[in-house]
Structure formats: C-alpha cells, structure tokens
Amino acid sequence: MRTSPSPRSRRHRRTRTRPAIRLTAGFLAAAALLVSACSSGNSTPSASGRVEAALAELPRATPSALAPYYAQRLRWRDCGVPGFQCATMRAPLDYDKPDAGDVRLAVARKKATGKGKPLGSLLVNPGGPGGSAIAYLQQYAGVGYPAQVRARYDMVAMDPRGVARSEPVECLDGRQMDAYTQTDMTPDDAKERKALVAADRKFAESCGARSARLLRHVSTVEAARDMDILRAALGDRKLNYVGASYGTFLGATYAGLFPGRVGRMVLDGAMDPSLDARRLNLDQTAGFETAFRAFVKDCVRHSDCPLGGRGTTPAQAGDHLQAFFRKLDAHPIPAGDAHGRKLGEALATTGVIASMYDEGTWQELREALASAMRKNDGAGLLSLSDSYYERDTDGRYSNLMMANAAVNCLDLPPAFSGPEGVEKALPAFEKASPVFGPGLAWAALSCTYWPVRATGGPHRIEARGAAPIVVVGTVRDPATPYRWARSLAAQLSSARLLTYDGDGHTAYGRGSTCIDTAINTYLLHGTPPSPGKRCS
C-alpha cells in the first residue's frame, strides 16, 4: 500500500534499525509519508463507498514461458558482510511478455545455524515502498530477530525491482533532491502553488527520462510475482514471510495471487488495499495527528518541552508548532549544514513527522524542537529530516524516494487531478490534522503528473485457501492506522488479527513481550494467536 514520508510521497517507513520503513533508511521507511497517487484524473475511491473486486488468484500451473525463471538456481557468493551471502536472480521485465527481457534482482541470506529441524527460508521486507530489504536483513533482521527464529530459518531478503541493489529507479541528483525536499508544501498564493506543481512535474519528468525502461514495471503485483520465483529458486514449497508497513501490502498481494503457496506469514503495520489514494492519505494524516497528540502528552511532562508545560493541551501545543512552522516559512533558520541549507518549514515538518514513527525518538525530537524554537538552531530537525529522506552528509540520497514514488504511482490512480482538487479537500485534511493536514494534502499531488499511467487500483484481497496469516495492528500507529489492520484482517479469509495497544509504527521487536511471544510461537510452531488477542 502506500505510505510515504511526510511531505512528499512515501508510503511509509521503518525505523533506524527496525522494520517498517521509518521514512528512512529504514520509512523508511518506510520513507514522503503519504500515499502518493498517480496518473491523472480523480480516483474512484472507496471514499464514495465503492470497493473494487478481490485480487484474482493466478493459475496454479507455471506458464511454460516462465519455466526457465522458476528453474534457475541461485549462485551464492560472499557479500562482504560477515555471515551473509548474496546472489542475483532473474525475473521477466514484463510478465505479459516474458521474452521482452529480464530484470536482475539482488538477494541476500543468512543461513540457519542453530539446532532443530530447519524450517526453510523466512523472507523479510521492511516497507517503503523503496526500503532496501537487504539492508534491513543485514542491519537488523539477520542479527536482531529472536535467536530461536534465526536458528531455524534461513533469513532471506530481496530488494524489490527498482529498489536499491535491484536495478534502482533513478530520477533527480543530490543537488536537485535538496531543492525538491525544500519545496514549500503549504502554498499561500498562486505563485507558490505554481512552484509546487513545477517541482512535482520536474521530479516526474526526470524519473521518466532516466528510468524509462523500468518505470512501467515496478508495481506491487510484479514484485509479488518475483517473490514466487525466489521461493522456487530457494527450493521452498511454501513462502514464509514477515513484512512491515508497505511490506504487508506486498505480502498480502502475494497471498492473493498464490494462496496455496502461503506458509507462515506475518503482516505487521498493515495496509488496506481496498482504499483509494485520497482515502489512504486522509487516514494517514489522521494517524499522524494521533501520534502527535501522544507525543505532546509526553513532551509537556518535561521541563524542556518547547510546546508548553503541564496542563498544555495537544491543541494548544499544535498551535505553538504551527506558529513556529509559519515563522520558518517566512525566515528559515541556520542549521549548520555544510551545503548551506537552512531549516525551512518543509524540512522541519518532515523532521517532526519522521519522529512520529517511534516513541523512542521523542526525546530527540523534543531536544531538536527546543534548539530550533529557543536557540534558532535547526541542526537537530534537519538531521531528522535527512534520516527520513536517506540523505548522507555528502549530499547523496538513496533511491528510496524515487522508488517510493514509482511504485505508488503505478499501484493507484492519483488522489487529485490538479491543485484545484487539493484546495477542495483541504478542509477535510485540516480537520484530520490541524498541524499536518495542509502539507500532507498537497503532498498527495505528487503523482498527478507521473509519466506512466497507473496499472492498479483499490481492491480487496481475500486469498481464499491460504494458511493462517497473522495481521498485526498498533492502536496508535501514525503511518498505518489501526483501522487498516482491522480491514485487511477482515478481507483475508484466513487472517488472525493481533492487536498492540501502544504507540509507534509496527509492533514486532519493539519491546512487547506479548507481541513477540505470539509471533515467535507462530513462526516456530505454526500456531497463530487466539482470535481477538490483544497486547500492551
């Protein structure tokens, strides 16, 4: 599904070392936080009460034209990272025309080394779209997942087509990305609206010019079909999978296409495939408001909170933050950046939104806001924003944001056909979040000018005949609202909903013994949580 890093088109992110793309390197995050939409014309959303038909299962027999792909054997080599091996897998660029050429997809694994009966491979994906699954495996899952899980499974990751090591989508260079991420996302007049549209057009045109071959073939359906080829190449009869954030949409799509090949599947921080782009963005806007209110309640308990003291309401704190953003809009402040960037409203907003993913970053956000609001020092918020966008100190960006837009814009028609649609929707977005609503509404315009028409649309995923699937939802998740988990669990014929009554994005590996025990038991023994299980 689509989540995005704040202002600018990203569906979602995981955290610095965990899943779900923190808008990051991890948004990284699951990385512009709202679901972007693509193509042109208004979507025909579920907002109007209409829901598309269920995703159709593919024929169980492998088409003869795809047989060579399914028969391939991976040649493993040293990755340069101790304990991990890497390989390259071939998949058809176009599944409708398998003879039209290949895409080469990067795969990594860490072999199971523990005692006990091996359980096969466990494929992991951290979200995005655009987050590197291989980086996630090597930096977190392959070393940080519970030891008993890593002992029984070969831990495996594949960067989806267009992402990181798998023929990455390319668009703007670093200097151009700096300009793009600083674009005013809350235009005050016709001149600023024109500048915003021009920035979105330039981004889209650059992707079309530099990634023309791949841009029509990075959909979630195609990435899910690639996963089935990987399953076969690994020698597994069933696909075992843990996906976070957008990774839940990818996993659910696989289940819809290949229900009979689903093994043990965990979908953490679930997305709802039945929603159109506008509804997704609006729900996510409300999710960030919920997370912001939770942050404020924690912030005002501390003497250094710049948004108010004890007794300050979330609404009052929001007014203070909005006033600060307006100040930055008029007069950006120094941020100690080697490339001369200052902290303006756009980057500051992204820094704040990035910190909503994980309550573990609330102290860092509080200190960054205090420095910016009281000392005129924007370095802390700029650092949070750069982390979200995966920008390094040399001014280079990963391809996270490019891949994020490319997948989002192919999967769903755009939320709006132009600026006029955004302006009409502003009251609804402002109601969902007085603080973030306007910026996130304008961010949803990012796919309107995409050079490739969307091939997907809202749909249900039922996956009839699939083995039990565990869907995990966090009650105060900012990027994938809890209602999405409930909806996906209701659609999937074999789903068990596991609820985490807590804050932050995703739940597995975030400190809840109850959640971790339930998921570990399922992965190791195949026993799903009891119906209605709730953890805190």
Side-chain angles (χ1 to χ4, degrees):
M1 273 299 354
R2 317 83 185 133
T3 62
S4 67
S6 107
R8 231 97 199 118
S9 128
R10 188 177 172 176
R11 289 176 197 176
H12 162 174
R13 100 191 208 177
R14 34 170 224 282
T15 98
R16 284 181 172 132
T17 49
R18 291 180 209 204
I21 192 173
R22 79 180 207 271
L23 290 183
T24 167
F27 81 158
L28 115 206
L33 291 179
L34 293 176
V35 163
S36 2
C38 309
S39 136
S40 74
N42 290 316
S43 53
T44 53
S46 33
S48 65
R50 181 183 134 192
V51 177
E52 301 293 333
L55 182 67
E57 177 183 357
L58 290 174
R60 299 193 179 190
T62 300
S64 59
L66 297 180
Y69 294 103
Y70 274 84
Q72 68 185 299
R73 288 293 174 261
L74 302 178
R75 297 182 180 181
W76 296 101
R77 61 185 183 278
D78 180 70
C79 278
V81 179
F84 292 88
Q85 297 173 307
C86 289
T88 301
M89 188 189 87
R90 294 183 304 108
L93 173 67
D94 184 344
Y95 276 92
D96 291 333
K97 300 176 182 178
D99 58 352
D102 297 343
V103 290
R104 296 187 175 275
L105 306 175
V107 182
R109 74 176 179 187
K110 186 176 184 182
K111 294 280 289 180
T113 56
K115 297 179 181 179
K117 182 181 178 181
L119 295 174
S121 306
L122 180 62
L123 185 66
V124 296
N125 183 282
S132 171
I134 291 178
Y136 174 65
L137 175 73
Q138 294 176 343
Q139 297 170 16
Y140 175 65
V143 293
Y145 265 34
Q148 63 269 39
V149 173
R150 292 183 284 116
R152 302 282 298 282
Y153 284 101
D154 290 347
M155 301 294 295
V156 179
M158 176 172 64
D159 282 349
R161 52 176 62 204
V163 174
R165 299 166 175 83
S166 294
E167 300 196 20
V169 169
E170 296 180 350
C171 303
L172 302 176
D173 62 26
R175 180 181 57 80
Q176 293 169 327
M177 278 296 295
D178 276 349
Y180 182 64
T181 58
Q182 294 177 76
T183 302
D184 187 347
M185 293 301 298
T186 56
D188 301 313
D189 53 36
K191 181 179 179 181
E192 291 184 350
R193 286 193 295 274
K194 184 177 180 180
L196 173 58
V197 168
D200 282 334
R201 285 187 182 278
K202 181 177 180 179
F203 183 89
E205 290 169 358
S206 71
C207 295
R210 299 186 64 185
S211 301
R213 173 179 179 268
L214 194 61
L215 218 55
R216 289 175 173 80
H217 298 290
V218 291
S219 70
T220 297
V221 166
E222 289 163 311
R225 297 189 70 172
D226 295 341
M227 286 164 53
D228 197 53
I229 293 177
L230 176 60
R231 173 200 58 77
L234 293 169
D236 292 329
R237 190 173 63 87
K238 304 271 189 177
L239 180 78
N240 301 309
Y241 178 83
V242 177
S245 197
Y246 162 78
T248 67
F249 179 54
L250 180 58
T253 299
Y254 179 90
L257 296 173
F258 306 103
R261 298 173 190 171
V262 172
R264 297 171 188 177
M265 179 173 284
V266 177
L267 306 178
D268 184 11
M271 300 200 63
D272 182 354
S274 72
L275 302 180
D276 61 62
R278 182 182 181 276
R279 182 79 254 171
L280 282 166
N281 278 284
L282 192 58
D283 282 358
Q284 198 174 54
T285 299
F288 280 106
E289 180 67 18
T290 297
F292 175 70
R293 287 173 174 267
F295 163 71
V296 168
K297 290 180 181 178
D298 176 77
C299 184
V300 298
R301 297 189 184 109
H302 300 270
S303 60
D304 62 342
C305 180
L307 300 179
R310 291 182 180 274
T312 300
T313 66
Q316 291 169 333
D319 289 342
H320 294 157
L321 185 58
Q322 285 179 282
F324 174 60
F325 286 160
R326 287 193 294 270
K327 177 183 175 182
L328 292 178
D329 189 26
H331 302 289
I333 63 176
D337 180 58
H339 296 85
R341 291 176 303 157
K342 290 187 175 183
L343 183 76
E345 181 185 15
L347 293 175
T349 302
T350 301
V352 173
I353 285 180
S355 302
M356 295 298 100
Y357 283 84
D358 185 348
E359 66 272 27
T361 65
W362 286 358
Q363 178 180 345
E364 183 180 357
L365 173 60
R366 189 176 72 246
E367 293 171 352
L369 282 171
S371 293
M373 297 174 74
R374 294 172 175 170
K375 300 178 183 179
N376 214 44
D377 179 2
L381 284 175
L382 181 63
S383 177
L384 288 168
S385 177
D386 284 350
S387 176
Y388 181 83
Y389 284 127
E390 294 191 355
R391 180 194 189 273
D392 67 22
T393 55
D394 293 325
R396 294 186 297 257
Y397 289 76
S398 77
N399 95 308
L400 170 66
M401 299 304 297
M402 292 81 156
N404 182 270
V407 176
N408 285 337
C409 295
L410 206 55
D411 278 352
L412 282 179
F416 304 109
S417 60
E420 298 77 16
V422 178
E423 289 171 350
K424 290 179 181 178
L426 279 174
F429 278 80
E430 290 171 345
K431 181 179 180 181
S433 175
V435 178
F436 305 119
L440 294 181
W442 285 105
L445 189 65
S446 59
C447 283
T448 300
Y449 310 103
W450 204 245
V452 176
R453 293 185 64 85
T455 57
H459 57 272
R460 300 188 318 278
I461 300 179
E462 298 173 354
R464 295 192 177 277
I469 297 171
V470 176
V471 176
V472 188
T474 297
V475 171
R476 292 178 294 281
D477 191 316
T480 52
Y482 179 61
R483 69 171 66 180
W484 291 358
R486 289 188 299 176
S487 179
L488 180 61
Q491 293 170 49
L492 292 168
S493 62
S494 63
R496 289 285 179 86
L497 177 62
L498 175 62
T499 297
Y500 175 51
D501 188 355
D503 298 292
H505 183 45
T506 72
Y508 187 41
R510 288 175 51 83
S512 170
T513 301
C514 175
I515 289 289
D516 292 354
T517 299
I519 293 176
N520 292 342
T521 298
Y522 169 69
L523 290 176
L524 294 171
H525 305 292
T527 306
S530 57
K533 185 172 180 62
R534 196 176 185 94
C535 297
S536 60

